Amino acid sequence: MGGMKLGQYIYGDSMVHKLDPRTKIICCTLAVISVMVSINWYYLFFLLLLMVAIIISSRLNLKFILKSMYQIKTFLLITLLFQAFLTPGQAVLTIGTISMTREGLILGSINILRLIILFMCSLILLMTTTPMKLSTGIEYFLQPLGKLNMPVHNFTTILSISFRFLPTLFEEATIIKNAQKSRGSEFDSPQLMVKIKSYAAVVIPLFEASLSRAADLGEAMDSRCYTSHPNQLRMNSLKMKGQDVLALLFVSVIVLAGVPISILMK
Amino acid sequence: MPGVIEIDHLFHTYAKGSPYEVEALKDIALSVDQGEFLGLFGPNGSGKSTLIQHLNGLIRPQKGSVTVCGIDASNPKLSRDLWKNAGLVFQYPEHQIFQISVYDEVAYGPRNLKLPEATVKERVYEALQQVGLIQENIAHLPPVTLSGGMRRRVAIAGMLAIQPEILILDEPMAGLDSAGRNMILDIIKKRQEKHETTVMISHSLKEIMTITDKIAILDSGCLVFNGKVKDLLNKPEVLAQYPFDLPEYLQIVYEFADKGFDIKTNISSIREAGEEIIKLQKELEQLRISPA
């Protein structure tokens, strides 16, 4: 038992939940491309609002997502600072030999906005798609690689197993962390070395447990004659419906029309 | 006098406000006195582990109060150091072992207490002895080379070396052989002799009944029973919910009573049962000597 984990699938019956995993993967990829290409403020804000709208309409907990976003604040801040100091331009603040520039601040802010959109986009994909469907969707897109004699089915088996064990791993990490806390590990110590040593006390047992579990699982699969072959039943369960076509059209229009317009407007 | 553990109107809810919301504890009130041994019983998911994590500061009370050794567990500054007073041994503690040698593993807790190395050494050897590991042979081996049962002993020794006022054991017997079980019973017995407080979680009522006379039963977050074994045996409506075998000594005493012998059934320990059976035997012998 425990709290909700970030990116964990949340059961629901909204339209986003019902979409084909392939649709969602394509839409996400398109969104990633458009976020990367565009540097127009209005367009990025529009995408941000769109993400919030999707989160609300699929009845995900927006407050929880925003709260978890707060946890990556250090990462976002470092991004901003690096951009601000390393971009040449009109100086705003000078410390020693390096100076913060106006252009750098703008670029940094845009990058933060981009990261937030990407973060939300990937959360929507993960939180509305079961791991099984997600790996089936990925398997579909990887199929052409099979013609080049790449072991696609092995790869997707690995993928779905790791999706399956992620929550277990999280749970185990929490238990071990609590157990080490009970022996006086200081995970919130202000001293970095103490903190690193405390986390070593979690990572080492966690690795050991995962390795032995992987060995056990491999043996269990072997003993039940696992061979790598395409899972036709799972693949055939994927069906594109009307709503998928609509969603794809909608996102394509936003990306194909939005990106050139936002570039032209500059 | 207030007990060493005082829990009052404690509630706890996991993942509040999400679809996965679970009410793990509902209005728990419990108190344990110095030197007492409390057995905590309950089916899976009844909230036992959540409850004991309140005792060493891992979970702070959301609603209600928890006081351990006079320390208010809801105060974040004070509850941080609660691990020194209440030592919690998790389920399968052998999974947390991470040091290179058994010695370092057991010394991890005492070193976090910032004790001088000489005291740490003393405590480590004392703890290893308590769990029945002979120090010279084992202290410098890597824990990976030990068997599961041995590793469990090392992990428990790691907690004993902290010398907490209260020892909390979460299913310490799960998956142990009889030698391991005896070792744990031994530790518990020694603590009882020294008048130290112990709390033990168990899935088996029979196991708790053979060790202690104070039982608390949790079921879906509610405290169903809290009191002496004797009182529990008089509550068939509670017992009926948890199918289990009575401890052997009770089975024998009940069998005697069923056959019409005059024996006291209101007992709660093996020793008491033994005394009753010897008394009965003597009475029967006297009857045989003077049948008239």
Side-chain angles (χ1 to χ4, degrees):
Chain A
M1 255 197 297
M4 204 164 45
K5 278 109 202 164
L6 187 63
Q8 186 188 349
Y9 170 71
I10 308 267
Y11 175 79
D13 56 357
S14 69
M15 188 196 150
V16 185
H17 280 87
K18 283 181 190 154
L19 284 178
D20 190 287
R22 289 170 295 181
T23 313
K24 281 188 261 190
I25 293 172
I26 295 174
C27 290
C28 265
T29 318
L30 286 176
V32 169
I33 293 169
S34 63
V35 165
M36 285 305 169
V37 171
S38 167
I39 46 161
N40 185 299
W41 276 102
Y42 297 109
Y43 185 62
L44 287 177
F45 266 118
F46 170 71
L47 281 178
L48 184 69
L49 283 179
L50 187 68
M51 292 298 159
V52 173
I54 295 172
I55 289 174
I56 292 171
S57 72
S58 52
R59 279 176 230 113
L60 296 175
N61 189 341
L62 183 65
K63 220 164 134 193
F64 172 72
I65 293 174
L66 291 179
K67 220 188 261 172
S68 43
M69 202 129 60
Y70 184 72
Q71 284 170 6
I72 57 166
K73 59 179 187 300
T74 338
F75 175 63
L76 295 179
L77 196 70
I78 290 174
T79 319
L80 178 69
L81 288 180
F82 265 87
Q83 292 281 358
F85 280 107
L86 296 179
T87 315
Q90 187 190 340
V92 182
L93 177 76
T94 310
I95 305 168
T97 52
I98 52 169
S99 55
M100 192 187 266
T101 62
R102 192 172 159 272
E103 285 77 2
L105 276 175
I106 293 173
L107 203 59
S109 316
I110 286 182
N111 273 340
I112 286 185
L113 194 58
R114 280 175 168 165
L115 285 172
I116 290 175
I117 295 170
L118 292 179
F119 187 74
M120 282 181 155
C121 182
S122 50
L123 279 187
I124 292 171
L125 176 64
L126 288 173
M127 291 171 92
T128 61
T129 322
T130 60
M132 194 59 93
K133 275 190 178 170
L134 196 59
S135 63
T136 315
I138 295 172
E139 183 170 357
Y140 179 86
F141 288 119
L142 291 180
Q143 261 177 341
L145 289 178
K147 294 209 172 88
L148 303 170
N149 280 335
M150 298 262 263
V152 175
H153 311 297
N154 275 342
F155 176 71
T156 47
T157 307
I158 293 169
L159 204 66
S160 57
I161 288 174
S162 35
F163 276 140
R164 151 72 187 79
F165 278 108
L166 267 184
T168 316
L169 210 63
F170 269 121
E171 213 161 284
E172 225 165 46
T174 322
I175 293 174
I176 296 175
K177 196 174 166 188
N178 278 340
Q180 307 298 17
K181 260 193 206 164
S182 307
R183 295 203 285 162
S185 291
E186 293 178 77
F187 292 100
D188 46 3
S189 166
Q191 286 161 278
L192 189 65
M193 265 328 274
V194 176
K195 222 172 169 172
I196 291 174
K197 273 186 188 161
S198 298
Y199 273 102
V202 175
V203 171
I204 295 170
L206 202 59
F207 258 107
E208 198 200 327
S210 322
L211 287 177
S212 77
R213 190 176 316 106
D216 285 350
L217 187 68
E219 226 158 84
M221 285 168 81
D222 258 349
S223 66
R224 284 181 286 173
C225 310
Y226 170 81
T227 45
S228 142
H229 54 76
N231 193 332
Q232 289 303 343
L233 190 69
R234 230 200 276 165
M235 288 304 257
N236 293 339
S237 73
L238 295 179
K239 287 262 153 37
M240 284 281 192
K241 291 192 203 116
Q243 54 192 21
D244 293 297
V245 179
L246 268 179
L248 280 175
L249 264 175
F250 177 64
V251 175
S252 315
V253 166
I254 288 175
V255 174
L256 294 179
V259 173
I261 290 173
S262 69
I263 291 172
L264 284 179
M265 264 170 66
K266 229 185 120 52
Chain B
M1 203 186 96
V4 66
I5 300 173
E6 290 284 348
I7 300 172
D8 202 23
H9 294 300
L10 183 67
F11 288 82
H12 188 83
T13 312
Y14 280 113
K16 233 179 191 164
S18 80
Y20 294 112
E21 187 176 299
V22 182
E23 212 176 359
L25 293 176
K26 296 170 205 157
D27 201 11
I28 304 286
L30 193 70
S31 124
V32 183
D33 289 331
Q34 171 71 37
E36 243 179 358
F37 182 100
L38 174 74
L40 201 55
F41 167 80
N44 283 7
S46 57
K48 301 177 300 268
S49 300
T50 312
L51 181 63
I52 56 165
Q53 286 186 35
H54 279 90
L55 300 180
N56 82 334
L58 286 175
I59 302 180
R60 255 179 265 132
Q62 290 174 343
K63 197 175 154 198
S65 75
V66 177
T67 314
V68 180
C69 302
I71 298 170
D72 178 12
S74 57
N75 184 334
K77 272 185 191 152
L78 298 177
S79 70
R80 267 176 65 101
D81 285 336
L82 219 49
W83 62 273
K84 296 172 186 167
N85 302 80
L88 172 56
V89 179
F90 275 72
Q91 218 170 343
Y92 302 111
E94 60 271 28
H95 293 336
Q96 336 142 0
I97 289 176
F98 72 101
Q99 294 276 24
I100 302 167
S101 74
V102 168
Y103 180 92
D104 287 323
E105 182 63 35
V106 180
Y108 185 68
R111 278 179 187 153
N112 279 334
L113 285 171
K114 312 266 177 338
L115 292 171
E117 204 51 42
T119 324
V120 171
K121 196 172 173 182
E122 231 169 71
R123 284 196 177 193
V124 169
Y125 286 144
E126 200 188 314
L128 283 177
Q129 224 154 25
Q130 269 188 54
V131 294
L133 295 176
I134 301 146
Q135 37 175 310
E136 295 82 24
N137 299 341
I138 255 170
H140 297 286
L141 283 179
V144 208
T145 58
L146 303 177
S147 70
M150 290 285 223
R151 296 180 58 171
R152 171 89 51 101
R153 288 173 191 229
V154 170
I156 292 176
M159 190 47 75
L160 290 175
I162 298 174
Q163 299 188 350
E165 269 173 70
I166 306 168
L167 183 69
I168 308 160
L169 301 160
D170 191 349
E171 298 258 4
M173 314 271 207
L176 274 191
D177 57 5
S178 59
R181 281 161 188 271
N182 286 337
M183 177 270 297
I184 286 171
L185 289 177
D186 220 41
I187 293 171
I188 292 168
K189 213 195 266 168
K190 271 183 197 145
R191 285 186 69 84
Q192 277 172 326
E193 279 164 13
K194 282 194 248 166
H195 204 63
E196 288 170 323
T197 319
T198 315
V199 177
M200 186 179 102
I201 284 187
S202 178
H203 266 128
S204 151
L205 259 181
K206 181 180 168 186
E207 194 176 85
I208 295 184
M209 277 185 179
T210 39
I211 305 171
T212 179
D213 61 341
K214 203 178 176 233
I215 290 190
I217 300 182
L218 272 178
D219 201 336
S220 21
C222 298
L223 196 62
V224 183
F225 175 85
N226 177 24
K228 300 241 172 203
V229 173
K230 284 179 191 173
D231 302 329
L232 180 63
L233 292 172
N234 289 329
K235 287 199 169 174
E237 75 277 7
V238 176
L239 286 178
Q241 290 178 25
Y242 311 105
F244 75 109
D245 290 330
L246 283 172
E248 284 80 0
Y249 69 89
L250 277 175
Q251 285 183 25
I252 294 171
V253 169
Y254 281 180
E255 195 71 14
F256 272 121
D258 265 2
K259 293 253 153 69
F261 290 103
D262 177 27
I263 192 166
K264 200 171 98 187
T265 51
N266 185 14
I267 53 174
S268 59
S269 70
I270 296 181
R271 179 182 287 179
E272 233 179 303
E275 282 166 3
E276 280 299 315
I277 291 170
I278 291 171
K279 214 170 88 187
L280 183 69
Q281 196 185 9
K282 276 181 185 158
E283 278 169 19
L284 290 177
E285 267 169 23
Q286 261 177 357
L287 278 177
R288 208 175 294 153
I289 293 165
S290 54

